[in-house]
Each structure stands twice: as C-alpha cells, then as structure tokens.
Amino acid sequence: MNASCRIILLGIFCLLLTSIAPARAATPSEQWDSLLEVTYKFSWYPRQDLQRLLELKGEEHGQSLEEYRAMLLHEVTGGRPAAVRIAPGDFVPGLSWRKYYRLSLAEFCLFLANDREQHLQNARAAMSVLSQKTEQPEVEFWNYVFAAHDACLKKNRQALISSTYSLWQNIILRFELETLLFPAESAQAGFVRSLPYLYENAAHLVIRKAILDHELPGLYPLGAMIQDIQPKLNVENGYRTLVDQVVERMRGVNSDSGNINYAVALLEATANRYDFEDEKDEGQLGAKYQLTRKYYQLAFDWADTGKGKAAILTEQMGFMNYILRRFSYRDDLLSAKQFFNNLPALANDRLEQSIAFYDRLALPAVQNGGFAAEGFEDRKVYLKGMHQLWDSAAKLAVALADFHQGNRGPQHAANIFPAARPLQQYCALFARHARSNTEIVPDNAYFLAAYAARELAGLFRDHAQYS
C-alpha cells in the first residue's frame, strides 16, 4: 500500500472516530440560549402558562431564568448588579450581538411572568444596543413588541396603535410578501419561518394585553389587522377560536360597526355570564357576577353607536332578568350572597335607562332614515334591534314586579309601589308607541301589555283593602 493510500485511510479513520465520539452535553446557559432564540413561540401564552413553562425549563436546565439573566447581565455590563435598572450606556461594547439579544429576551420573559416594569425597560435598553442591526428582522420585531407593551403600561392609546400597526405593516405583511415571492422552502429560512407565531403575538397584544388587561379604549384602527390575520391563525391551541368569535361580534345585528373594543368586551361578558350561570360553588358566584357586570359596562361605555348601546342594554337586561328569576324561585345559592341585595335597584336603573334610550331611537328623525347615523346598516337591522330592546325591557319589568311581589310580606302588603312601578313604566312605554309606531313595536308587546295591566289591577285591588 503506497503512502498516499495510507494517508487517505488514516483520514477516514479519524473522521469515523469523530463521528462516533459522544456529543458534549449543552450547559444550562446554552439551553436557555436556544430557548430564548424562539421566544416568539411562547410570548403569547397566558401568564400562568408562561410561568409554568419557565419553571419547568428551569428545573430541566438546572438553572432558573433569573439565574441565567443575572449571569448574562454581569457579563454584558461588566459586573453590574442584577437588581437595578440598566441603561443603554451600561453595556460593555464589542461582544457578540446575540448576548445583548438574549439578555433582552430574558428580561422580557421575566416581565411577562411577573409584570414588573423594570424588566421591560431593561429589555428595551438591551435591545437598543442593536439599533444598527437593521438587517435583523427579529430585532425590529421585538422593538415593536416592547414599545406596544410599554404603551399599554402607560395607557398611551396612540403609541400602542402606532407600534402595533408598524409591527403588522413592516414585519408581518413584509414576511407574507416574501413568502409569496419566494415560495420555495429553502427561501423561507431564518426569522421569516416564525410568521405563524407572529400572528399569535399580534392577536395577544391587541385582545389580551391592550383591551382585557389594560382596558385601552378606541383601538378601532387595529380591528383591520385582527380581521386580516384571522384566517391565517393556525397554531394549535392558539388565538384562532377567540379571534373568530371577536370578528363575529364586529359584524351583524349585535355589533358596533366594527368596533373591536366593544366586540372583545361583549365576548368576555358573555363568557363570564355562562360561567356564572353554570357555577355551583357559592364562593365563586360573586366574582363571576362582578366580572360579567364589569364587561357589560365596558362594552356599553366603548360602544360608539346607538346600535351597539342598544344591543348591550338588551343583553344586560336579559342577564338581570335571569338573576331575578332565580331569586323568585328562591335559589339558595344566590340568596346566601349579600352583595346581590342591590340587584333590584340596579335593574330598576337599567330599565329606566333602556326605556329612555328606546324613546330616543324611536324619534321620527331616526325612524325616517336617521337610523344609519346610529350605526344600523339598514331598516331591517334597525327594526330588529328595536324589537329586541323592547322585548328585553318588557321582560325585565315583569321580572322586577314578580320579585317585589314575592318579597312583599304581610307587614308591607299596602306598599305596592316597588312592584307597580316597573309595570307602570312598561305600560307608559306601550301607550307612547304602540298606537302610532307599530312597525318598531314587536308583536308580543300587546300580550305583555295586557299581562302588565292585569298585574297592576291586582296590585291596586290589594291596595284598596288598606285605603
């Protein structure tokens, strides 16, 4: 065998030895490095799920995220304590850009987990070191995300809209265009492959953080983005189902002309109402009742049109009617909770408000074409909304009367006013509109008026005994 053959065989033997040698196990820090590189895959998780993920990964890696962050912060700042807020000028220059990037994402994950503003500011400071990295779309993406979260904390509606809209226009739509222009798998390398998760992050920012957590009003410009990404959401257990329901409530009879704040609040109120109705634990009833009330009120406050406000009044009166009926049936779960004692007074106030609102929408100017200015798409939608509002008000009036009659003990038998008042309000509404505005009055209004009149007659007969 000549010398050249021996050299070739020796080289092959060395390669084989290298290939079968055991791989070096990754250190805890390297494992965190790898996880943080794909932060976009879990930065949209609900807080409890994210906390659990970080805890599990800390146990798996043998190093908590806080320990990893403290070690990396010490390295990139030249020994700065981990407990203080850092500024862009505190960083040591010349290190690999990935170190600043990973520190920024570690700080951001801690912010998402514990809601401490210091971590968000530290994340922004670390990412600012990479301001010259314009060729890295992930840096630009996170800068927009950080700015949006900061705007939420500061209740800065305009800044939130600007940063989120920029995220959509400059990152998401750009990636979509690149995917269309270069459909080959090999061309879709790098951060562009994160696109499905970027949709989740965008939905999370608007629906969960801005509207539900921080209650920022007037986010209607972002409704277009949510409708655009709706059919593209496909991550398992992601935001697709929720976004479908939100978009459904941005359209149709019970919508507020595309108002996303209203749609999210109405959806949350409905979900909490169903939870309340199904709840069997007395200790949970109060919280679910208060949440339902809260989101109905937010939806009403955020509604921009008469159509939207009418729909919320209809829904809210239906909820109050349901609870009053449970009281009338002597529901022990509700009777044991003292904070339900003010419900009849709240229902009376809502009934008065709804009747006054119906009167406003029944003005001739509104009936004769002005309904469009109130948000109703056409006359058919206007009439349906008016019928629903009337029906809900009438049924709440009857439920209130039944409730007060049922609670009128022998010592208060002469006091018919609490039971008579809602019935009189309904009869007055009927008298104002049923004879001249028959188109906006539902068919069952006549039966309900007859029932209310009969109940009133009975109350006054009772009262006559004490006159």
Side-chain angles (χ1 to χ4, degrees):
M1 183 181 296
N2 57 36
S4 61
C5 288
R6 285 198 297 272
I7 291 172
I8 292 172
L9 289 173
L10 181 62
I12 293 173
F13 181 69
C14 291
L15 288 173
L16 288 172
L17 284 177
T18 303
S19 65
I20 63 175
R24 179 181 67 84
T27 66
S29 294
E30 289 171 340
Q31 291 176 303
W32 277 116
D33 289 346
S34 300
L35 182 65
L36 291 171
E37 291 287 341
V38 292
T39 298
Y40 57 83
K41 288 188 175 182
F42 53 84
S43 52
W44 52 273
Y45 282 11
R47 176 169 295 163
Q48 288 185 340
D49 293 349
L50 178 64
Q51 289 171 340
R52 185 59 183 153
L53 172 68
L54 297 178
E55 289 172 4
L56 289 174
K57 289 300 180 181
E59 295 170 3
E60 180 183 321
H61 299 165
Q63 180 187 49
S64 68
L65 180 58
E66 290 84 353
E67 292 169 337
Y68 168 86
R69 173 252 180 186
M71 182 195 69
L72 190 54
L73 179 64
H74 187 277
E75 179 182 356
V76 300
T77 61
R80 194 168 185 82
V84 299
R85 179 173 293 190
I86 52 178
D90 296 332
F91 294 99
V92 175
L95 300 177
S96 167
W97 74 272
R98 287 285 179 186
K99 291 187 178 294
Y100 309 107
Y101 180 73
R102 291 165 185 158
L103 173 64
S104 177
L105 295 180
E107 294 277 8
F108 183 58
C109 287
L110 290 172
F111 163 71
L112 295 177
N114 60 35
D115 209 27
R116 290 180 57 194
E117 185 180 357
Q118 175 181 309
H119 288 304
L120 177 61
Q121 301 309 323
N122 287 349
R124 300 190 76 184
M127 197 66 76
S128 70
V129 178
L130 308 178
S131 59
Q132 303 304 314
K133 283 282 183 183
T134 55
E135 76 281 4
Q136 301 293 340
E138 56 263 56
V139 173
E140 187 179 9
F141 167 77
W142 287 117
N143 276 323
Y144 290 137
V145 172
F146 296 168
H149 279 274
D150 186 64
C152 286
L153 290 177
K154 295 174 179 175
K155 304 291 186 182
N156 189 332
R157 168 188 171 274
Q158 192 55 50
L160 172 75
I161 291 173
S162 176
S163 55
T164 308
Y165 205 84
S166 296
L167 165 64
W168 179 40
Q169 292 286 307
N170 299 339
I171 301 295
I172 292 177
L173 293 184
R174 189 177 87 198
F175 280 4
E176 289 179 354
L177 180 61
E178 290 178 7
T179 302
L180 289 173
L181 294 175
F182 309 105
E185 186 74 18
S186 59
Q188 297 177 25
F191 198 62
V192 70
R193 301 188 67 156
S194 64
L195 189 55
Y197 299 97
L198 305 193
Y199 296 138
E200 302 293 335
N201 277 274
H204 178 72
L205 263 175
V206 177
I207 296 174
R208 171 53 56 188
K209 302 306 295 183
I211 298 179
L212 293 177
D213 288 355
H214 294 280
E215 299 176 6
L216 267 68
L219 301 184
Y220 49 87
L222 300 179
M225 183 192 77
I226 293 299
Q227 292 182 79
D228 176 73
I229 68 175
Q230 178 199 7
K232 305 165 189 173
L233 291 160
N234 57 15
V235 175
E236 186 177 2
N237 297 323
Y239 269 85
R240 179 58 187 266
T241 300
L242 180 61
V243 169
D244 284 347
Q245 294 173 341
V246 168
V247 171
E248 181 182 351
R249 285 161 178 79
M250 292 173 69
R251 306 165 181 163
V253 176
N254 294 324
S255 70
D256 188 54
S257 300
N259 184 339
I260 187 170
N261 285 78
Y262 169 95
V264 172
L266 175 57
L267 177 61
E268 195 70 9
T270 304
N272 280 285
R273 175 179 174 173
Y274 290 158
D275 286 345
F276 173 84
E277 292 177 1
D278 293 337
E279 186 57 62
K280 304 301 180 186
D281 182 356
E282 180 184 320
Q284 299 296 321
L285 277 175
K288 292 180 178 179
Y289 167 73
Q290 297 289 16
L291 280 173
T292 306
R293 277 191 60 203
K294 170 187 173 180
Y295 285 110
Y296 273 137
Q297 189 59 50
L298 275 176
F300 183 83
D301 293 341
W302 284 339
D304 291 326
T305 67
K307 173 191 172 190
K309 290 185 182 297
I312 289 300
L313 288 172
T314 299
E315 291 280 338
Q316 196 169 23
M317 286 191 294
F319 179 54
M320 290 178 167
N321 183 12
Y322 166 79
I323 300 177
L324 287 169
R325 289 297 179 194
R326 285 181 63 171
F327 269 114
S328 298
Y329 301 148
R330 298 295 185 266
D331 188 314
D332 293 336
L333 276 177
L334 297 188
S335 300
K337 305 302 289 183
Q338 293 300 313
F339 60 78
F340 286 113
N341 290 345
N342 69 338
L343 178 66
L346 292 173
N348 272 316
D349 291 343
R350 190 59 78 209
L351 178 62
E352 282 189 12
Q353 182 185 19
S354 300
I355 289 175
F357 198 76
Y358 184 94
D359 286 337
R360 184 174 78 77
L361 292 180
L363 290 172
V366 179
Q367 291 192 57
N368 298 327
F371 53 78
E374 296 289 348
F376 296 96
E377 290 82 358
D378 52 44
R379 187 165 187 81
K380 181 179 179 181
V381 173
Y382 166 68
L383 293 177
K384 185 171 183 179
M386 293 294 279
H387 291 174
Q388 290 176 341
L389 183 59
W390 178 294
D391 183 70
S392 194
K395 289 176 179 175
L396 181 60
V398 171
L400 272 169
D402 287 348
F403 171 81
H404 287 299
Q405 287 194 66
N407 285 275
R408 192 163 52 106
Q411 69 276 26
H412 301 296
N415 183 15
I416 66 168
F417 176 74
R421 183 167 178 263
L423 297 174
Q424 289 171 327
Q425 288 175 301
Y426 175 69
C427 288
L429 174 71
F430 182 84
R432 285 196 298 276
H433 298 289
R435 294 191 178 99
S436 56
N437 302 320
T438 55
E439 196 176 14
I440 63 171
V441 176
D443 292 340
N444 66 341
Y446 301 89
F447 165 78
L448 289 168
Y451 177 84
R454 187 186 70 186
E455 292 296 300
L456 274 173
L459 286 169
F460 281 104
R461 279 196 301 270
D462 292 342
H463 184 263
Q465 301 175 35
Y466 303 91
S467 176

